[in-house]
Structures are given as structure tokens and as C-alpha cells.
Amino acid sequence: MKIQSIRGMNDLLPEQSATWQYVERTLALILAAYSYKEIRFPILEKTDLFKRAVGEVTDIVEKEMYSFDDRNGDRLSLRPEGTAGCVRACIENGLLHNQTQRLWYTGPMFRHERPQKGRLRQFHQIGVEAFGLAGPDIDAELLLLTARLWRELNIEQALELQINSLGTAEERGAYRQALVEYLGAYKNDLDEDSQRRLTSNPLRILDSKNPDTQSLLKNAPVLSDYLGAESKQHFDQICTILDNAGVSYVINPKLVRGLDYYSQTVFEWVTTELGAQGTICAGGRFDSLVELLGGNPCPAVGFAIGIERLIMLLDELAQVPDSVAQQVDLYLVAVGDVSHQAMQVAEQLRTELNVRIEVHCGGGSFKSQIKKADKSGAAVAIILGEDELSSNTVQVKFLRQERPQETVDQINLVDFLTKKFEN
Ligand code: ATP
Ligand code: MG
């Protein structure tokens, strides 16, 4: 009996890993250009961290976490998102004392959801968080950074930025009351989830996918009417920076985000190309979280990108450049009893040239080796047989060019190939 993987937890196969590396590389370069630094923290944390940070009455904590007691009886959970662990690590290591931090992280997250397209149980995020900055400029910077990433990856035309403001806790509280009053009158017309949320987390009802609930919401009170002057100004300034930078956006008054800890700015980058799971990147401001987790008050704003969804979009739009494929430049064909010398020649080439070389191992006929060389994608095959060995030469065969095979002295091979790869 074969043992199968866990449902919703995928293997990343070699043919896809080049695309992942391309995305990660591109993002790492952009993050460096904005002076963000990487932070790494554990995949496993105390369950209480997520209960407190994400909120007890969220889908994540109520029904999606992988939690277990370890051998000491401590209650632990696989991280369902990165912000909680990032904040915990920052507080614990004193990174937030009178200083600002611009940070990013990447890695797997775990949620026990129903697996479907764009929804996995182990998925990957790249998260970015900025701490100690309260103004709208940093919120806008994060949006400019993401816009640059989409531009760099050639998918900007397929993504729409939606933004909203949740205001302060007080403003949101007043709105919540008005919303509950309004929806309370239609309680029996609400879907089951929304009925439950009416008491637990009413703002989430705005998020409901149920069309009847959505039509009830048409005449509901609107959050922006409850914002004070400061919240409005914060939001307007973000919009101005985006306007100046030529980044377009849509104000979505129903955008509330699933997690409890957000305040003021919230945003999502969404696409219509992937069906129901169209949110590629989501984030916002969470000024109260650091204090909630035991730190001194510290404003914060961040976002997370779902890497699987981002890569699905790249594939959907055929925007992965051909050069991303992990192809070798040279294939070393070793016919006969020459394997030690073949290794030596390849090692020398790797030292002196910036090339990728696959050395044929395991013997076999010339014909079968050339077939493999061709399949490897290499531009050139270096052929070493017993004749070449005794004359200190190699044969150079051009696999992608109409050009006759050449005999080259081994001592001239680096020069010869340098010229070849310069052309
Ligand atoms: P959704 O509304 O799609 O459930 P969410 O609000 O739960 O998303 P966040 O917690 O904000 O998502 O996570 C940020 C991003 O991580 C999402 O926008 C999405 O791209 C990705 N993501 C979230 N959950 C999953 C999952 N189960 N599988 C794959 N990607 C996911
Ligand atoms: Mg979700």
C-alpha cells in the first residue's frame, strides 16, 4: 500500500519550482529596493497566540487551525497566517523599541479548509509588515510596492486594487451597532452564517457571498458615513499618493477583511481570471495588535500575497518568461572509460565560466547520450571519448545551430566557450 500525501497539501515538482524561484527572486529584489528586511520565525506557535491575534470568533480560529497537544501537553498550532508570529517575534526580540521596522517573510501556512482551486490546506504566503509608522505614506508605499511587483511580473492588467477604510475602533463600533440594528429587522432573511455573525462578527456579513444577503445590504448603513475627520484624511492621503503615482484603484465600501485585527486602511488586489478565489494579495493597518500581544503600543500595516494564486495567474496569462526554465548550458557526453576525466573537465569549466553543466553519468552509447543532451536543453554538447582523451581534446557539438562539429584542445576549451557564449 502506497502512503498518499495529505489532502490539500501539494508537492512542488521540479518543473514548477523554476517559476516559484522566479517569483521569489523578483519579489526579493523589489523588497530590497524598498529597504525591507527578511525575518524568519517558527511555523509552530502556541495556539493562544493565534486565538488572541487572529480573534476567537474568526473562521480561522473557530474551524481552520491545525492544533494539537505536544508531548509536554502544551497546546500548539501550525501557523494559519504570518502576522501573529511576526509580531510575537518582534516583541520578544525587542525590535519595536523606539524604532521602525520594515520586514518581510515567506513560507507555508496551514488552514483546514475545503480544498479546491486556489484553496489549499498548506499554502504559501509572502508577507510584508511595517511597524512604528502611523501615517498614510507607509500604507501607500506598500501599495506602490505591490503595484511594482505586478508590473515587473507582467500581470498588472489582470489585477484591480480595492481599498476601504475601517476607521478607528470607536467609529467601527458605532457603525457595527447601526448595521446590527438594520440587519436585525431582516434576521430571518439572512443566510445561516450571517445570522450567526449578527452577534459574533457583524462586519463580516458585508463579505457574504450569498446574493439574497447582498441585496439586503444594498440599503444598509455605509461604513464611510461613520468615519471621523482624521480617518477620512488618512484615507484621502493614500488615495492622493496613489493618484500621483498613476496606480488606479476602486474604493469598495464593503471590503472588511476576514481578520479581526484590522483598523483604518484595508485593501485587496483581486483578479477575475481565477474564478471564485480571486484575491491574490490582502492587507491593511493593524495598529492595536502589538499592544494586544503584550508590546508597547505600535502602529503597524502589512499585507500577504498568496503565492499559489499568484502563480496560477502567471500561468493563466502565460506570463512566465521562457528564460525562467531551469535549462543547462552544456551537456558533457562521456563515452567509454572516461568518467573521471569528464568530471575534471566539468569542474574546471564551472570554476572558470559562469555556465550550468550536466555531466552524463552512468555510461551508455554515444547515440543515447546525444539524445539526452538534446533533451536537456543545452546549447552545446562537449564530447569526451577515449580518442579525445588520448589527444587531450574534446569535440564540441552545436545542438541548436547549423554549424559543424569542432575539435578543440582541452586547454583552449574555456576560451572557445567564452567566445561562444559571448555571441
Ligand atoms: P479568502 O477570502 O480567499 O479565504 P482570506 O481572507 O482567508 O482569503 P488572508 O488570510 O487575507 O486570506 O490571506 C492572504 C492571501 O493568502 C489570500 O488573499 C490568498 O491569496 C491566500 N490564501 C488564503 N487562504 C488560502 C488557502 N487556503 N489556499 C491558498 N491561498 C490562500
Ligand atoms: Mg479564508
Side-chain angles (χ1 to χ4, degrees):
M1 268 284 274
K2 271 186 264 172
I3 298 175
Q4 306 258 312
S5 69
I6 302 168
R7 213 160 88 85
M9 302 203 181
N10 290 349
D11 303 308
L12 178 66
L13 302 180
E15 69 180 51
Q16 305 158 309
S17 61
T19 304
W20 279 66
Q21 288 174 2
Y22 160 65
V23 167
E24 287 162 355
R25 206 164 51 232
T26 307
L27 193 56
L29 284 173
I30 290 177
L31 286 162
Y34 285 80
S35 187
Y36 285 69
K37 302 206 167 62
E38 186 181 4
I39 181 167
R40 301 188 189 193
F41 44 86
I43 286 169
L44 212 50
E45 298 271 1
K46 292 189 178 142
T47 300
D48 281 342
L49 173 69
F50 302 114
K51 280 196 180 163
R52 220 197 288 173
V54 178
E56 300 255 13
V57 290
T58 53
D59 285 354
I60 290 182
V61 170
E62 278 180 346
K63 49 193 185 197
E64 295 175 359
M65 281 211 293
Y66 282 90
S67 302
F68 63 96
D69 295 326
D70 78 354
R71 288 169 197 276
N72 303 328
D74 292 328
R75 192 76 183 150
L76 306 180
S77 298
L78 287 169
R79 62 184 186 193
E81 53 95 54
T83 303
C86 182
V87 171
R88 198 258 325 125
C90 284
I91 296 172
E92 199 166 326
N93 295 287
L95 301 189
L96 306 179
H97 283 150
N98 302 319
Q99 49 190 321
T100 61
Q101 294 287 348
R102 285 175 159 97
L103 303 173
W104 66 275
Y105 54 83
T106 185
M109 307 293 162
F110 303 84
R111 296 185 195 176
H112 195 274
E113 305 194 68
R114 196 168 67 78
Q116 54 197 288
K117 186 182 176 197
R119 202 175 282 294
L120 298 160
R121 290 181 172 174
Q122 175 177 324
F123 62 99
H124 297 75
Q125 287 183 341
I126 292 177
V128 178
E129 326 276 10
F131 295 100
L133 297 162
D137 44 359
I138 188 73
D139 303 25
E141 178 178 276
L142 292 179
L143 295 171
L144 299 184
L145 186 161
T146 43
R148 184 178 296 275
L149 176 67
W150 316 140
R151 222 179 302 139
E152 195 69 31
L153 294 174
N154 265 317
I155 53 175
E156 57 174 334
Q157 69 286 357
L159 285 164
E160 179 180 89
L161 172 59
Q162 301 189 353
I163 54 175
N164 191 25
S165 175
L166 299 180
T168 64
E170 295 77 53
E171 290 157 2
R172 213 158 51 249
Y175 172 69
R176 184 182 297 124
Q177 208 176 341
L179 183 68
V180 169
E181 259 166 44
Y182 170 84
L183 287 174
Y186 304 97
K187 188 167 181 196
N188 296 330
D189 303 324
L190 291 172
D191 60 274
E192 210 179 299
D193 260 352
S194 297
Q195 285 188 9
R196 207 166 42 86
R197 284 177 176 147
L198 206 50
T199 45
S200 66
N201 196 348
L203 261 58
R204 285 297 310 278
I205 299 174
L206 299 177
D207 233 5
S208 169
K209 303 275 187 298
N210 185 295
D212 297 334
T213 300
Q214 276 304 331
S215 68
L216 273 180
L217 285 169
K218 284 212 177 86
N219 297 318
V222 182
L223 182 48
S224 54
D225 293 339
Y226 289 77
L227 297 186
E230 269 186 49
S231 295
K232 274 194 183 139
Q233 205 195 7
H234 186 101
F235 190 68
D236 289 345
Q237 288 187 34
I238 296 170
C239 295
T240 305
I241 298 175
L242 292 174
D243 290 337
N244 291 343
V247 173
S248 42
Y249 54 87
V250 172
I251 296 173
N252 175 358
K254 291 205 183 109
L255 185 66
V256 290
R257 306 288 310 118
L259 309 183
D260 261 0
Y261 53 60
Y262 287 102
S263 55
Q264 300 289 7
T265 323
V266 287
F267 59 86
E268 290 191 359
W269 287 92
V270 295
T271 179
T272 52
E273 304 277 339
L274 299 179
Q277 271 68 55
T279 304
I280 301 288
C281 169
R285 185 163 273 286
F286 47 99
D287 290 341
S288 55
L289 183 63
V290 175
E291 197 177 5
L292 187 68
L293 294 181
N296 294 327
C298 178
V301 57
F303 65 79
I305 296 172
I307 304 184
E308 282 83 358
R309 290 188 197 173
L310 173 57
I311 285 178
M312 274 168 52
L313 183 60
L314 278 169
D315 286 337
E316 185 73 31
L317 302 175
Q319 286 300 2
V320 183
D322 288 342
S323 59
V324 162
Q326 286 164 325
Q327 285 184 337
V328 294
D329 303 305
L330 304 177
Y331 193 96
L332 209 150
V333 170
V335 192
D337 192 12
V338 297
S339 62
H340 295 187
Q341 290 78 7
M343 284 292 158
Q344 257 176 33
V345 170
E347 281 301 303
Q348 195 206 349
L349 291 177
R350 290 190 189 103
T351 302
E352 303 205 19
L353 293 172
N354 181 24
V355 287
R356 292 166 292 186
I357 309 173
E358 183 170 337
V359 177
H360 187 90
C361 287
S365 70
F366 174 76
K367 207 174 141 196
S368 72
Q369 291 195 32
I370 282 291
K371 245 192 204 156
K372 288 219 170 105
D374 195 41
K375 225 177 131 191
S376 75
V380 165
I382 310 284
I383 301 160
L384 188 66
E386 281 161 11
D387 289 348
E388 286 78 19
L389 193 63
S390 55
S391 60
N392 289 318
T393 61
V394 294
Q395 302 286 326
V396 177
K397 184 175 167 64
F398 298 91
L399 299 168
R400 322 275 156 213
Q401 269 175 295
E402 288 294 330
R403 186 171 159 183
Q405 187 167 314
E406 285 184 52
T407 305
V408 179
D409 286 335
Q410 281 180 26
I411 52 167
N412 295 331
L413 185 58
V414 168
D415 270 0
F416 181 91
L417 291 172
T418 307
K419 286 198 193 100
K420 152 75 193 157
F421 281 103
E422 270 168 7
N423 297 334

